[in-house]
């Protein structure tokens, strides 16, 4: 595992330490971790590679992080793979991105099955190319009885559209008499969102130095701890993931007590 430099400002000395799995408290693992996997294009540019090379490298990191999350006992991992805004990118890049779910699943689905991972997705599936939709639906179906980690891909996802769609459905159901407007509370409203049945994220990670939500899970992130890093997604390692969890555990030790 890569070395991490731990700077102790008070002593003005640098001590080399490696953060490992055994330093993570197993009784305080975030149940749901959400990640905005940013910086793939920048990673490629730095190496004079096409942007798609960064996306491909980023896909391999998805596999690594999924394996570690499952080992640690994380229950849900939500990954922002493609936003509703991403359609504005050059057509060849979008076409490449839309092939990644098939490539990922073609390569890793057998391993995910072995590891008891369940593949899920949030986002508007209907607007995906047929080949992408088919691959994701097959993975969801093949893994539907697995009860390990839920690997939840946000694909063609946008949070405002999700909320607006939920409001429209609530209004319809109220009109039909299926729900009583007086009973509409946060729990009932949450059940109209695409994350129905999932707990809210405990920890949000965003890579690549951007400090914003970019239309990601606006409702669900209301109480979530945020962890940002300048590391580009293709460079994101197991140790960075552990670092994020260790930071989360320190924060909940400081603020979580009654
Ligand atoms: C994508 C790789 C990760 C970095 C972010 C952008 C590029 C895995 C998937 C995926 C999606 C659904 C699924 C299985 C795998 C994926 C897109 C982009 C569009 F069921 N990585 N990855 N999908 N990138």
């Amino acid at each position: 595992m890569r070395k991490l430099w731990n700077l102790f400002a008070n002593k003005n000395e640098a001590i080399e330490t490696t953060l490992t799995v055994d330093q993570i408290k197993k009784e305080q693992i975030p149940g749901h971790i959400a990640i905005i996997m940013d910086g793939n294009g920048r990673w490629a540019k730095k190496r004079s590679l096409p942007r798609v090379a960064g996306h491909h490298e980023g896909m391999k990191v998805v596999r690594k992080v999924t394996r570690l999350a499952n080992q640690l006992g994380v229950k849900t991992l939500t990954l922002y793979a493609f936003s509703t805004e991403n359609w504005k990118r050059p057509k060849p890049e979008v076409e490449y991105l839309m092939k990644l779910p098939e490539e990922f699943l073609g390569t890793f689905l057998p391993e995910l099955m072995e590891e008891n991972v369940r593949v899920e997705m949030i986002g508007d599936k209907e607007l995906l190319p047929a080949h992408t939709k088919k691959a994701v639906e097959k993975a969801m179906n093949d893994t539907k009885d697995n009860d390990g980690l839920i690997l939840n891909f946000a694909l063609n996802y946008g949070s405002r559209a999700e909320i607006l769609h939920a409001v429209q459905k609530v209004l319809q159901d109220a009109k039909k008499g299926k729900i009583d407007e007086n009973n509409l509370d946060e729990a009932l409203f949450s059940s109209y969102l695409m994350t129905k049945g999932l707990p809210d994220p405990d920890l949000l990670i965003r890579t690549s130095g951007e400090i914003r939500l970019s239309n990601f899970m606006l409702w669900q992130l209301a109480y979530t701890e945020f962890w940002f890093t300048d590391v580009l997604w293709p460079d994101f390692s197991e140790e960075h993931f552990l670092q994020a969890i260790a930071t989360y555990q320190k924060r909940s030790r400081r603020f979580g007590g009654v």
Side-chain angles (χ1 to χ4, degrees):
M1 212 173 266
R2 265 180 63 266
K3 296 288 175 193
L4 174 89
W5 287 91
N6 229 349
L7 202 63
F8 290 94
N10 55 337
K11 288 189 175 170
N12 204 23
E13 62 178 352
I15 299 172
E16 201 179 4
T17 56
T18 305
L19 187 57
T20 54
V21 171
D22 41 86
Q23 280 154 275
I24 300 295
K25 286 177 287 214
K26 295 294 148 8
E27 63 286 356
Q28 226 187 110
I29 298 286
H32 185 175
I33 302 180
I35 311 184
I36 303 176
M37 308 180 288
D38 206 358
N40 303 287
R42 220 178 310 158
W43 180 92
K45 196 173 179 192
K46 277 198 343 197
R47 287 165 177 72
S48 307
L49 295 169
R51 286 174 60 79
V52 295
H55 297 318
H56 195 265
E57 197 64 22
M59 186 188 70
K60 296 194 243 164
V61 177
V62 168
R63 177 66 194 109
K64 263 199 316 197
V65 169
T66 302
R67 187 182 289 113
L68 181 54
N70 200 22
Q71 277 170 10
L72 289 170
V74 173
K75 298 266 179 269
T76 310
L77 182 65
T78 297
L79 302 177
Y80 207 0
F82 193 89
S83 80
T84 49
E85 299 305 301
N86 289 157
W87 295 111
K88 294 179 192 152
R89 292 185 181 177
K91 197 167 173 236
E93 185 179 338
V94 170
E95 280 174 359
Y96 184 89
L97 284 166
M98 285 301 137
K99 286 182 194 145
L100 283 182
E102 283 152 285
E103 182 174 354
F104 180 91
L105 296 165
T107 312
F108 300 125
L109 190 56
E111 291 171 29
L112 296 176
M113 278 303 285
E114 264 177 49
E115 291 166 20
N116 201 24
V117 171
R118 191 169 111 212
V119 175
E120 276 293 339
M121 94 158 253
I122 54 173
D124 190 353
K125 225 190 299 171
E126 300 316 311
L127 292 174
L128 298 175
H131 62 94
T132 312
K133 182 171 176 251
K134 207 173 135 194
V136 176
E137 278 177 344
K138 180 185 182 294
M140 287 169 62
N141 189 54
D142 288 359
T143 62
K144 69 177 189 310
D145 296 323
N146 293 352
D147 57 6
L149 174 78
I150 297 174
L151 176 56
N152 183 34
F153 286 101
L155 208 53
N156 189 28
Y157 173 85
S159 184
R160 287 188 174 182
E162 176 192 35
I163 293 170
L164 198 54
H165 186 253
V167 170
Q168 288 164 341
K169 291 251 338 205
V170 165
L171 291 173
Q172 276 175 20
D173 283 358
K175 206 167 162 186
K176 287 188 211 154
K178 278 204 205 170
I179 60 164
D180 177 348
E181 62 182 289
N182 300 311
N183 292 340
L184 183 62
D185 58 7
E186 292 182 9
L188 182 59
F189 187 75
S190 293
S191 76
Y192 282 84
L193 296 171
M194 290 164 172
T195 46
K196 174 183 166 58
L198 296 177
D200 290 338
D202 301 292
L203 172 63
L204 171 79
I205 296 172
R206 181 167 190 161
T207 58
S208 171
E210 309 296 345
I211 315 294
R212 55 176 177 269
L213 288 181
S214 303
N215 204 17
F216 187 54
M217 299 182 97
L218 301 177
W219 171 278
Q220 296 88 341
L221 293 171
Y223 297 102
T224 304
E225 293 287 343
F226 291 180
W227 190 83
F228 296 99
T229 176
D230 288 341
V231 171
L232 308 177
W233 178 251
D235 292 327
F236 191 82
S237 67
E238 276 105 342
E239 194 169 355
H240 295 121
F241 193 60
L242 296 175
Q243 187 69 61
I245 295 174
T247 303
Y248 166 86
Q249 294 188 334
K250 278 187 214 131
R251 288 188 201 162
S252 42
R253 191 176 59 212
R254 265 188 288 149
F255 303 116
V258 271

